[in-house]
Amino acid sequence: PKKYQFRTMRQKLLDTADVLDEQIDSMAKTLQKHHKIPESEFGNPCIASQFSVYCCGRIVPDSPSAPVEIRLNPDSLFLETSRLGGIGQRISIDVQFLSEYSFFPGQIVGFKGKNPSGERFIVEQVLDIPYLGAPASNKTELLEYKTNLDGSSMKTTVLSGPYTPSTKIDYSLLESFVEKLNTEIKPHSVIMFGPFLDITHPSIKDGSIESVPEIQGKKITTLDGFFRAVITPILKKIDSRIQVILIPSTRDSISSHAAYPQNSFERKSLQLPKNFKCFPNPSSFQLNECLIGVSNLDSFKDIKDVNRGKIGEKNRFDRIADHILQQRRYYPSFPGALKTRTGSDGTVEHISGADLDMPYMGLSELYDVLPDVLIIPSEMRYFVRVVKNVVVINPGYFLTGNNAGTYVTLSVKPPNPEGDDDDLTCINDDDQLYIHNIWKRARVDIISV
Amino acid sequence: NGDDLLRPLESCISDAERFKGAATLELTCTCGAHFTFGGIQESPSYSVTFSGIHCNGCGTELSSLRITSQLERLIRKHISLYYAGWVECDDVSCGVHTRQVSVYGKRCIGNTGRSVGCKGVISYVYTDRELYNQLLYLESLFDVDKARRQELRPLQDDRDDKSSPDSGEMKKGISQSTLDALAEQNRDTFRAFQSVVQKYFEQCGRRYVDMASLFNFS
């Protein structure tokens, strides 16, 4: 897609600021409309007032020097206003009167409360953010998908890199997995997330990638050449009847677009056959009626919330998935995560990070509908949850450290708009539109590699 | 194009000056030795021969993949560092150093965190200009013509300041005729190394002029 072909390494501070500002204002509009709040009741939370006002802003830490790794606490929260809402000022927020909440830096929130002294905004109520609608299909399309499947379930395998152990470059596990994919699993499609060759792998850093046994004898001069000589042949072995979807990681050596949102791989330059499709990171696409949203940036690890009450007792992944759906962005944290290593002499070395290209973060929004299935691979333990009727999947990594990890198979019962079961929900009799209810028809298995 | 806007100024200064702040390329040999690679020039740790780059410690030639993988890792580390988006306030009495950005961008959040009070101007610590220079520096290391003309950034930046007789000797280490021959012999392999840097130049927004920003004076 063209929009993702932006040039990297040219981030302007004012463009970054525009995006940050717009995120607040567009949420303010959504909240006004949803809660039917007259614009006059929206006020600036930073100035003293005897009356309660509604306001919208971004959760930020109270100190500019707070490192992103540090978990905030209820006393260290500030609310940042937009240019329009409060000339960009930030105000300390008091959340002690809330019985439950979950806040993280970068989150856009709507509050009702008051600021009696001018020093602190006392939050009385957190405004619910409305969810986007579910995708729907008409009867003709659904019947077509049903016929295509010939009664069987639609089967998709999902796996995520790294595909090599963390101590050496070795693709034998992936090679044997491809064999299993072709002979045992036999899915209709496979979604593979990068990194395929992780640029932060220690064997790349010290150059010892040259000692990989399979390539001895062949003259490979670059990492891109290595991909084509070692990884492409393995991927090519995937049965041509299986549709393969590749989603890059910003740590993929083969990608020159090292920022999120990230442009797709180039299928031709990877020398991959036509059953391969390369999509951007993040992106959404349909497999039959099923709308799948994918993002290859670890929101489940990076969103660290401060919470209280019932919401805090919920499963953490449910809570974070809910935030993603509410915020309508695949990676709602700001600033993005950083990975560093502290040497024995106390020097801090930069390793990698979320690498957010802020001016283009609009490309990481969920747009007009929720996905049926949301897949975000994470370093955290694999899981499958249903949140707001969205099937949320972390397939886990193909290899964790040096050990075989996990992958996922997603099977979806074919849609049957003519059946009596409540597998589909008819929302409009005239147009014969149906909500997919994938969560009712899907079965997700997490399997050890 | 965009380059012309920069070149007249920047290309006039020597590599030694222009790339002073750029991070050096550290190579690790199979024997475990580390050294700073500065292109075809005299170094106690490595030698460029007719067959390639050799480690002086063990005498082995470093394979192309060994070199390009370390080079590409360094490039990606710098791109990631750039995208970490550290910003800084130019008011020394404030000195805020953070990754948070105000909705006004250049306005300082200040030590109070309230985005009021400090009149300093915020800017990115690692600028796209520095990143671009870093890439240019890495490309220059494999520029055989520069090596021939002895225009590479010296391995020791302060060598000229201390005009000890030793360093004078060092500079004469490789004779011009040898330099010419080495440059020609390594031209093709070095071009392959440069292609790794060029992969990122093609992506680099700084290389391409943004017409809108040129003609928008608001």
Side-chain angles (χ1 to χ4, degrees):
Chain A
K2 263 230 151 78
K3 286 178 290 185
Y4 288 85
Q5 286 172 13
F6 63 87
R7 299 201 189 274
T8 55
M9 301 178 240
R10 183 73 156 145
Q11 192 172 225
K12 292 191 185 137
L13 197 52
L14 293 180
D15 296 344
T16 298
D18 283 347
V19 167
L20 292 170
D21 192 49
E22 177 57 29
Q23 285 173 351
I24 300 174
D25 283 345
S26 68
M27 184 65 87
K29 267 187 213 133
T30 306
L31 291 173
Q32 270 174 25
K33 215 171 134 191
H34 179 75
H35 295 280
K36 301 190 176 65
I37 306 166
E39 219 177 315
S40 58
E41 288 186 32
F42 261 76
N44 180 352
C46 305
I47 49 175
S49 157
Q50 293 313 306
F51 307 100
S52 288
V53 293
Y54 290 97
C55 62
C56 189
R58 174 182 294 102
I59 297 291
V60 292
D62 61 351
S63 154
S65 51
V68 276
E69 303 79 34
I70 281 184
R71 204 174 279 267
L72 298 177
N73 64 60
D75 298 319
S76 61
L77 299 174
F78 270 23
L79 182 75
E80 178 183 45
T81 58
S82 70
R83 300 171 197 167
L84 209 64
I87 48 168
Q89 288 183 11
R90 298 171 169 208
I91 182 80
S92 167
I93 55 172
D94 184 339
V95 294
Q96 61 168 318
F97 298 113
L98 297 175
S99 57
E100 67 168 351
Y101 56 78
S102 162
F103 297 129
F104 64 91
Q107 181 185 10
I108 310 293
V109 291
F111 288 151
K112 185 186 185 193
K114 72 175 143 214
N115 182 351
S117 65
E119 289 301 311
R120 217 166 155 81
F121 184 77
I122 301 164
V123 185
E124 294 159 356
Q125 186 198 340
V126 181
L127 299 179
D128 285 330
I129 298 172
Y131 293 91
L132 293 166
S137 300
N138 66 42
K139 193 172 179 177
T140 333
E141 288 168 317
L142 291 169
L143 284 173
E144 198 179 306
Y145 298 137
K146 188 188 162 199
T147 320
N148 289 349
L149 286 166
D150 202 16
S152 62
S153 289
M154 180 183 77
K155 195 167 171 184
T156 304
T157 301
V158 184
L159 56 163
S160 170
Y163 298 101
T164 65
S166 58
T167 48
K168 58 178 179 177
I169 302 281
D170 173 10
Y171 289 92
S172 50
L173 194 63
L174 181 62
E175 216 164 354
S176 53
F177 183 79
V178 167
E179 181 67 27
K180 193 168 152 190
L181 202 60
N182 292 339
T183 56
E184 272 179 54
I185 310 172
K186 296 184 192 163
H188 294 96
S189 53
V190 181
I191 303 171
M192 291 180 87
F193 290 85
F196 291 88
L197 178 55
D198 184 348
I199 193 76
T200 66
H201 195 286
S203 297
I204 288 181
K205 196 183 177 201
D206 68 6
S208 61
I209 183 173
E210 62 166 2
S211 59
V212 171
E214 305 98 89
I215 62 162
Q216 278 173 2
K218 283 185 246 167
K219 193 168 156 60
I220 293 167
T221 55
T222 60
L223 293 178
D224 289 1
F226 180 93
F227 191 107
R228 286 186 284 263
V230 177
I231 303 170
T232 297
I234 297 173
L235 295 178
K236 267 185 173 168
K237 282 186 200 149
I238 298 176
D239 193 319
S240 62
R241 286 168 297 183
I242 301 174
Q243 170 105 86
V244 190
I245 292 160
L246 303 182
I247 313 293
S249 152
T250 49
R251 298 207 319 269
D252 261 305
S253 66
I254 195 80
S255 175
S256 59
H257 190 120
Y260 181 94
Q262 184 181 19
N263 199 6
S264 53
F265 292 138
E266 282 173 55
R267 181 179 65 84
K268 281 188 183 139
S269 80
L270 301 188
Q271 297 166 358
L272 289 168
K274 286 225 167 93
N275 59 320
F276 281 77
K277 285 246 183 315
C278 298
F279 287 144
N281 168 29
S283 56
S284 63
F285 50 86
Q286 258 177 292
L287 295 176
N288 284 348
E289 79 281 13
C290 181
L291 183 67
I292 300 190
V294 296
S295 170
N296 203 0
L297 194 55
D298 201 341
S299 302
F300 289 111
K301 182 174 171 239
D302 296 347
I303 298 178
K304 293 173 184 136
D305 67 334
V306 16
N307 59 65
R308 175 173 175 183
K310 246 193 268 162
I311 196 170
E313 290 154 23
K314 264 214 287 202
N315 175 301
R316 174 167 176 265
F317 298 128
D318 285 358
R319 211 161 63 226
I320 293 169
D322 199 24
H323 278 310
I324 292 168
L325 300 178
Q326 280 192 22
Q327 298 287 308
R328 307 170 179 197
R329 291 179 279 149
Y330 289 105
Y331 193 88
S333 285
F334 180 80
L338 273 194
K339 194 173 169 193
T340 56
R341 181 163 41 215
T342 308
S344 48
D345 55 349
T347 53
V348 179
E349 189 199 359
H350 180 90
I351 308 222
S352 63
D355 301 334
L356 306 180
D357 201 313
M358 285 312 290
Y360 292 93
M361 281 302 273
L363 294 171
S364 72
E365 285 173 12
L366 290 179
Y367 296 111
D368 46 352
V369 284
L370 292 179
D372 290 313
V373 178
L374 174 68
I375 311 174
I376 302 179
S378 172
E379 194 184 313
M380 316 296 279
R381 202 178 141 93
Y382 50 80
F383 64 84
V384 179
R385 315 282 304 177
V386 176
V387 179
K388 296 290 153 197
N389 297 352
V390 176
V391 181
V392 183
I393 302 174
N394 162 25
Y397 289 168
F398 188 74
L399 271 145
T400 53
N402 289 319
N403 304 314
T406 48
Y407 68 95
V408 149
T409 58
L410 164 72
S411 311
V412 182
K413 212 171 116 184
N416 184 13
E418 285 162 333
D420 305 329
D421 42 23
D422 63 347
D423 280 356
L424 298 165
T425 307
C426 187
I427 46 168
N428 184 332
D429 262 329
D430 300 336
D431 296 339
Q432 298 191 304
L433 273 178
Y434 294 86
I435 291 179
H436 305 146
N437 289 343
I438 296 294
W439 61 283
K440 285 187 184 169
R441 297 190 282 129
R443 177 197 158 102
V444 182
D445 293 289
I446 297 167
I447 305 161
S448 298
V449 172
Chain B
N1 63 24
D3 287 349
D4 294 336
L5 289 173
L6 312 164
R7 282 277 160 83
L9 269 176
E10 300 225 312
S11 66
C12 288
I13 48 177
S14 70
D15 278 13
E17 209 41 54
R18 181 170 190 187
F19 298 141
K20 208 159 195 168
T24 54
L25 174 62
E26 306 294 322
L27 293 179
T28 303
C29 174
T30 36
C31 69
H34 306 279
F35 57 82
T36 303
F37 180 76
I40 307 177
Q41 56 174 310
E42 182 69 29
S43 159
S45 324
Y46 73 90
S47 348
V48 181
T49 73
F50 296 122
S51 61
I53 301 163
H54 290 253
C55 166
N56 282 357
C58 62
T60 337
E61 185 199 327
L62 276 73
S63 78
S64 293
L65 186 57
R66 175 166 283 271
I67 293 161
T68 55
S69 73
Q70 297 183 71
L71 170 64
E72 191 156 0
R73 171 68 191 119
L74 181 66
I75 294 171
R76 291 289 284 267
K77 183 172 144 181
H78 277 271
I79 295 175
S80 182
L81 194 58
Y82 168 78
Y83 274 116
W86 286 98
V87 296
E88 218 165 43
C89 179
D90 70 350
D91 183 338
V92 281
S93 67
C94 166
V96 153
H97 182 84
T98 179
R99 291 176 62 231
Q100 290 183 52
V101 177
S102 139
V103 292
Y104 283 102
K106 294 187 176 175
R107 183 193 288 179
C108 182
I109 293 162
N111 286 307
T112 59
R114 296 192 51 173
S115 206
V116 277
C118 180
K119 294 271 183 277
V121 177
I122 288 286
S123 56
Y124 280 120
V125 177
Y126 196 167
T127 62
D128 51 309
R129 180 170 167 269
E130 279 173 291
L131 178 60
Y132 181 65
N133 255 342
Q134 177 69 49
L135 292 180
L136 278 180
Y137 166 67
L138 293 172
E139 191 190 34
S140 78
L141 293 177
F142 303 103
D143 185 329
V144 293
D145 294 315
K146 269 192 181 163
R148 258 170 75 176
R149 297 194 300 267
Q150 303 194 29
E151 286 173 3
L152 295 175
R153 169 185 164 190
L155 274 165
Q156 260 113 38
D157 287 320
D158 56 351
R159 187 182 291 162
D160 290 346
D161 304 337
K162 300 168 200 154
S163 50
S164 68
D166 284 355
S167 62
E169 287 298 311
M170 282 272 277
K171 254 198 163 162
K172 282 178 212 138
I174 306 178
S175 72
Q176 189 61 48
S177 59
T178 317
L179 215 47
D180 288 346
L182 285 175
E184 285 317 314
Q185 288 289 336
N186 287 290
R187 190 177 286 276
D188 289 346
T189 29
F190 275 33
R191 194 176 287 141
F193 298 154
Q194 284 183 318
S195 75
V196 173
V197 190
Q198 270 144 15
K199 169 177 165 185
Y200 295 96
F201 273 140
E202 276 165 31
Q203 262 294 324
C204 180
R206 199 176 168 83
R207 269 242 156 150
Y208 300 87
V209 73
D210 177 0
M211 296 307 274
S213 75
L214 267 188
F215 294 105
N216 184 356
F217 297 102
S218 61

